[in-house]
Amino acid sequence: MLKIGFIGWRGMVGSVLMERMIQERDFHDYEAIFFTTSNIGGKGPDIGMSTPALQDAYDLDILASLDIAVTCQGSDYTKKIYPELKKRGWKGYWIDASSGLRMENDSIIVLDPVNRAVIDNGLKTGIKSYIGGNCTVSLMLMAIGGLFENNLVEWITSMTYQAASGAGANNMKELVAQMTAIGAINNPDLSAVELDRLITNEMRGKAFPIEFFGAPLAGSLIPWIDAALESGQTKEEWKGYAETNKILGTTTPIPVDGICVRVSAMRCHSQGLTIKLKKDAPLDELIEMIAGANDWVKVVPNDKPSTLAGLSPAAVSGTLTVPVGRIRKMKLGPEFLTAFTVGDQLLWGAAEPIRRILNIVIEHLS
Ligand code: NAP
């Protein structure tokens, strides 16, 4: 019986992974061992069957006994533990939501509805590390994978509208605290201009909670995500190019660039895309390619009622659907296509590719 370890199962990504695995009845026919960095001997998640007490996530002997390790613990953990396991000659499979090993030559970034062939080839050639991609990149590829599949993309600009959850649980809570502080000012007797003045003062005041974001997000936005790079990009922007091309396994890299912006959505990332096509193609054919690429992408007609009903974080949050709408040719020329897409960054952006690669690896080993 396979021995599979879960590390980081109670974090934000880990708990969404557990939820999805329970929903899909994934826990069967293998021994599941849960780990912790903070509560050794404690109780694991309720997965509908008994599991042993929580094991020490730094215990290399137990980790080395696993056939598959699934971690959502973060890249510091991966960078500490993975090399130690490898030094011991561990031959198991490492499945990871963090970016720690993403760009290593002997790892594959997993998004199986888009790159199943790359994954299958990796399994065949003995690759042992399967890593979840950056949320924004995965959601963009889920949305317009059909255009890549048909080799139509010359380059892409992605302007993002990214949710608080991408920055972590504390940031989500801080966003709500900011909203609460603003909400407390509300007074229907005041004019809109007076209300705005009070809210702006509140946002600029010393008491406004900005410990985690470093700036107001509610009622505002933050056009900077992650660390600065010498290129002038942020690391989040750099990932668009690096990870898209690694996921697709391109031989001639496709340029992808844009500005990544944090907005006050809770857990759905949105992106406005400008796509330079390699050649002109009729809009209805392009839409058909986009719609047919996988079971989760959904084309939203380019009209106001459909857009308001289906193309927003409020409509998409908590679902696996990846809507893409506002699709039209641009005034820039017939080879320029624009589109807007939304996706739950904790599902397709994080937990779901991990859940699915675990099942693929199990199937490979069976
Ligand atoms: P997280 O919520 O901070 O959880 C990571 C670990 O923190 C948990 O496994 C838990 O470990 C510990 N922890 C401490 N206090 C906790 C508390 N009150 N509640 C829950 N856990 C607590 O991290 P995450 O956002 O899930 O991210 C995990 C990894 O996935 C990161 O590398 C991240 O970059 C990557 N990722 C995140 C996202 C995202 O949207 N957040 C998307 C894609 C990839 P113990 O149980 O051992 O204490």
Side-chain angles (χ1 to χ4, degrees):
M1 190 184 271
L2 289 176
K3 223 167 147 182
I4 304 180
F6 294 89
I7 308 112
W9 54 271
R10 80 174 177 117
M12 215 164 32
V13 175
S15 52
V16 174
L17 174 66
M18 292 299 111
E19 251 173 56
R20 285 289 299 137
M21 290 184 69
I22 291 164
Q23 265 171 15
E24 297 290 335
R25 301 179 193 282
D26 283 350
F27 288 107
H28 59 79
D29 295 338
Y30 57 79
E31 186 185 347
I33 302 174
F34 293 90
F35 289 81
T36 177
T37 61
S38 61
N39 183 27
I40 299 163
K43 201 173 157 347
D46 184 3
I47 58 165
M49 60 168 88
S50 73
T51 53
L54 294 177
Q55 303 291 316
D56 180 357
Y58 294 108
D59 186 331
L60 289 165
D61 290 334
I62 308 178
L63 291 168
S65 74
L66 299 172
D67 297 295
I68 306 173
V70 180
T71 170
C72 303
Q73 188 67 20
S75 50
D76 288 349
Y77 175 80
T78 297
K79 284 180 184 158
K80 190 174 158 72
I81 291 298
Y82 185 77
E84 293 295 326
L85 274 174
K86 283 288 163 187
K87 244 190 259 164
R88 288 180 165 222
W90 182 60
K91 298 276 189 301
Y93 287 80
W94 183 265
I95 296 177
D96 196 338
S98 86
S99 62
L101 302 175
R102 254 182 223 156
M103 297 312 290
E104 297 296 319
N105 286 335
D106 61 352
S107 76
I108 285 179
I109 306 182
V110 293
L111 188 64
D112 69 276
V114 173
N115 73 344
R116 182 65 198 249
V118 175
I119 292 169
D120 286 343
N121 190 48
L123 288 167
K124 220 179 340 168
T125 55
I127 299 277
K128 295 292 180 76
S129 315
Y130 294 87
I131 318 298
N134 168 265
C135 37
T136 319
V137 174
S138 297
L139 292 169
M140 189 257 289
L141 288 174
M142 286 298 291
I144 55 159
L147 299 178
F148 288 101
E149 218 172 277
N150 285 278
N151 193 24
L152 273 171
V153 180
E154 187 173 319
W155 54 254
I156 288 200
T157 290
S158 164
M159 297 297 180
T160 75
Y161 307 76
Q162 296 185 219
S165 60
N170 285 325
N171 294 66
M172 283 176 92
K173 288 182 176 176
E174 186 167 273
L175 171 60
V176 177
Q178 292 185 358
M179 289 169 169
T180 307
I182 290 173
I185 292 168
N186 193 20
N187 177 349
D189 297 335
L190 295 177
S191 73
V193 172
E194 283 167 331
L195 260 178
D196 173 65
R197 192 175 303 122
L198 290 175
I199 288 168
T200 302
N201 283 341
E202 174 69 20
M203 288 197 293
R204 291 175 182 165
K206 287 214 171 353
F208 201 64
I210 58 160
E211 181 189 350
F212 295 100
F213 281 116
L217 183 64
S220 188
L221 55 77
I222 304 173
W224 192 281
I225 298 178
D226 209 340
L229 301 183
E230 266 184 23
S231 60
Q233 292 172 302
T234 63
K235 195 158 178 212
E236 185 79 358
E237 289 153 7
W238 170 84
K239 287 175 182 173
Y241 175 78
E243 292 194 20
T244 297
N245 284 288
K246 182 161 179 178
I247 290 172
L248 295 172
T250 52
T251 41
T252 308
I254 299 167
V256 180
D257 204 351
I259 292 181
C260 291
V261 180
R262 189 79 67 199
V263 298
S264 62
M266 288 295 278
R267 58 180 271 184
C268 277
H269 287 353
S270 307
Q271 308 180 53
L273 305 170
T274 298
I275 304 156
K276 170 72 167 54
L277 300 168
K278 286 187 177 168
K279 59 175 196 238
D280 186 12
L283 188 61
D284 55 348
E285 282 179 24
L286 296 170
I287 289 175
E288 213 171 292
M289 285 174 204
I290 291 172
N294 61 61
D295 291 343
W296 298 272
V297 61
K298 184 179 154 208
V299 168
V300 175
N302 187 19
D303 62 62
K304 187 174 176 181
S306 308
T307 302
L308 264 55
L311 193 61
S312 69
V316 173
S317 191
T319 76
L320 287 160
T321 306
V322 180
V324 49
R326 302 306 325 278
I327 304 174
R328 63 175 173 82
K329 292 289 186 81
M330 301 179 84
K331 288 284 175 211
L332 305 174
E335 290 156 10
F336 290 85
L337 188 73
T338 190
F340 191 88
T341 179
V342 183
D344 188 313
Q345 70 89 217
L346 289 172
L347 285 167
W348 275 117
E352 194 64 7
I354 297 293
R355 186 188 78 77
R356 292 170 65 89
I357 189 64
L358 174 58
N359 288 337
I360 291 170
V361 172
I362 291 172
E363 197 184 299
H364 173 73
L365 292 176
S366 306

